[in-house]
Amino acid sequence: SESVLIVGAGHAAGEMAVALRVNQYVGDITIAGDEPHLPYQRPPLSKAFLSGEISHERLHVKAPATYDNANIRCLPNTRVTAIDRVAKTVTTADGRTLGYGKLVLATGGRPRLLTLPDERIHQAPNLHYLRTIGHVDALREQFVAGNRLVIIGGGYIGLEVAAVARKKGIDVTVLEAMPRVLQRVTAPELSEFYARVHTEAGVKILVNTALTGFEFDAAGKITTVLAGDGLKIPADVVIVGIGLIPNVELAEAAGLAIDNGIAVDEYGRTSDPDILAIGDCSSHPSAYAGRRIRLESVPSALEQARSAAALLVGQLKPYNAVPWFWSDQYDLKLQMVGLNQGYDTVVLRGSPAARNFLALYLKDGALLAADSVSRPQEFMVAKKLVGDRIKVDPAVLADETKPLKDLLA
Ligand code: FAD
C-alpha cells in the first residue's frame, strides 16, 4: 500500500503531512523527528517565545489534534540514522526499521558551531546556540535582567535576541567579525539603520571584531569573552548565532546528489525519484535567481512542502516563488523580498529617521529586491513588483506622492 515517511518534524514536515491529507492522499503518513516535540515554529524562539510572551502551545505548526484527526502518525524522539534505498526502509537510532513508499527528507539544519580550538567551549554551561525549544529552555534562567550577555554574530538571530534582551534589561554586546551587521543579507543603508536602532536601545555593537577566545572559571563557566586586539568583555552568558549547516549527511550517505543542500528539482524530487527533500535542508533551482539556491525561511519551507504534497497526489505544482523573509526587532517589522546581490542602485522610499521606509534594489533598471521596514502594505506591492522584475525609474520609486501600486501591471 502507499505510504509517506517524513524524516524531521519541523515546519516543512508539519505542513507537508497535513497538505497531503488536504489533497486527499489516502496512504499512511508518518513523521519521524528527533526532537521530543510535534512540529513547531522556530521564528518565535528569538522573539516572543524567548521574551516569554508566548508559551510552548503557541509554537505548534498545526494544533496537536490535527495529526490524530488526519490520521498522521507522529514519532517524536526518533532519529533516522540510515536509508536503504533498495529495500525502501530507514533505520532509527534505537534500532527500529521503518518502511516507505515515498520518503521525504525535512531535516532542516543545525547551528554552525564555534571552531576555536578549546574543548571547554563545548562544555560551558553559559554558552548557547539557538535553534530548538531545548536551546531556549537551557538559556532561560540566565536570560535575566542584570546579566551581561555577549552575542557572537550580528545576523538576524543575533539582532533579534539583542532586541529581546534589551527589553528585559539585560546588558548586551554584539560581536560582529564583518564591517557591518546583517552584511550577508542586506545593503549598507539597512545595516546602518539597524546598527543605529540597536545602539539607541543600549546595545553595544562591535563590528570588525572577531572572537578570539574565552576565559573560564574553575567550574568551566565562561567569565570573559576575548575579541579583536586584546579586548576583554566580561560575560555572564554568551549566545552564538553564526549560521546554519544544512542536515544533508543522511542523504549524502545514501548516495543522493548534494549541492549546498540536498539537491532537488522544482517539485522537490532528489536524484532518487522515491525520495523528496523540502525546507532548509534542500537546494532547488530558482527561476528568479537563475541558479540553484538554498533558503532558510518559513515561507519557502511551507511552499516547498505544498509543492511536494501536490506531487505525491499526481499534481505538478512547481515551487518557483521569489524568496522572501521577515525579521522582528523592537517595534520594527522588517520584510525582505528577492536577493539583492549584484544590485547597482538602491532607492530609499520614506524615512529611516521615522523608522518607516523601503529600500528598493535595482539592477540594469529593473527591480531586483526590496526591504521594507514597517510598511507591510507597500511590501505586499513590492513583492509583486519584484516578482515581475519591473523596469522603473528610480525617481518614481522614491516619490511618495506616487503610490507603488500604480506600477502594477
Ligand atoms: P526545521 O524546522 O529545522 O526542522 C527539521 C527537523 O528535523 C528538526 O527538528 C531536526 O532536529 C530534525 N531532524 C534532523 N535530522 C533528523 C534525523 N536524521 N532524524 C529525525 N529528525 C531529524 N524564518 C523566517 O522566515 N522568518 C523568521 O523570522 C525566522 N526566524 C528564525 C529564528 C530562529 C531562532 C531560527 C532558529 C530560525 C528562524 N527562521 C525564520 C528560519 C525557519 O525557522 C526555518 O526556515 C524553518 O524552521 C525551516 O523548516 P524545516 O522544516 O526545513 O527545518
Side-chain angles (χ1 to χ4, degrees), residues 1 23 35 83 109 132 192-193 242 245 297 319 339 358-359 380:
S1 70
N23 292 348
E35 290 187 67
I83 304 168
T132 66
E192 200 182 292
F193 172 77
I242 55 171
I245 299 185
S297 87
Y319 167 67
L339 305 171
L358 294 182
M380 294 308 288

Side-chain angles (χ1 to χ4, degrees), residues 222-350:
I222 291 169
T223 57
T224 311
V225 175
L226 307 175
D229 289 332
L231 217 55
K232 286 186 167 208
I233 310 161
D236 301 298
V237 51
V238 177
I239 300 178
V240 182
I242 55 171
L244 184 87
I245 299 185
N247 289 325
V248 302
E249 290 76 7
L250 194 58
E252 196 165 33
L256 301 178
I258 308 292
D259 181 358
N260 175 35
I262 306 168
V264 297
D265 66 11
E266 58 270 55
Y267 305 104
R269 282 177 297 215
T270 68
S271 51
D272 178 332
D274 290 325
I275 306 181
L276 289 77
I278 55 177
D280 285 13
C281 67
S282 68
S283 72
H284 65 276
S286 163
Y288 164 81
R291 61 186 164 90
R292 179 172 287 284
I293 57 175
R294 189 178 65 75
L295 299 172
E296 296 166 7
S297 87
V298 165
S300 68
L302 293 179
E303 288 169 51
Q304 287 184 288
R306 289 177 201 136
S307 161
L311 180 78
L312 296 190
V313 296
Q315 296 165 15
L316 293 182
K317 283 196 187 154
Y319 167 67
N320 56 16
V322 177
W324 74 275
F325 191 81
W326 79 89
S327 172
D328 300 330
Q329 297 166 41
Y330 307 102
D331 56 330
L332 303 171
K333 185 164 195 61
L334 174 62
Q335 295 166 291
M336 318 175 91
V337 60
L339 305 171
N340 70 16
Q341 282 132 0
Y343 72 89
D344 52 40
T345 308
V346 56
V347 178
L348 295 185
R349 178 182 174 88

Side-chain angles (χ1 to χ4, degrees), residues 6-14 32-37 39-47 61 75 77-82 91 105-111 130-132 135-136 156-157 160-161 244 247 250 278-282 295-302 304 324-328 334:
I6 304 174
V7 179
H11 223 124
D34 60 2
E35 290 187 67
H37 309 287
Y40 64 90
Q41 307 174 48
R42 294 181 203 280
L45 300 184
S46 51
K47 308 177 184 77
V61 169
L75 304 176
N77 298 311
T78 303
R79 179 163 187 77
V80 170
T81 50
T91 311
L105 301 174
T107 50
R110 57 187 184 276
L130 202 62
R131 180 75 187 172
T132 66
H135 289 150
V136 179
Y156 290 121
I157 290 182
E160 289 182 350
V161 170
L244 184 87
N247 289 325
L250 194 58
I278 55 177
D280 285 13
C281 67
S282 68
L295 299 172
E296 296 166 7
S297 87
V298 165
S300 68
L302 293 179
Q304 287 184 288
W324 74 275
F325 191 81
W326 79 89
S327 172
D328 300 330
L334 174 62

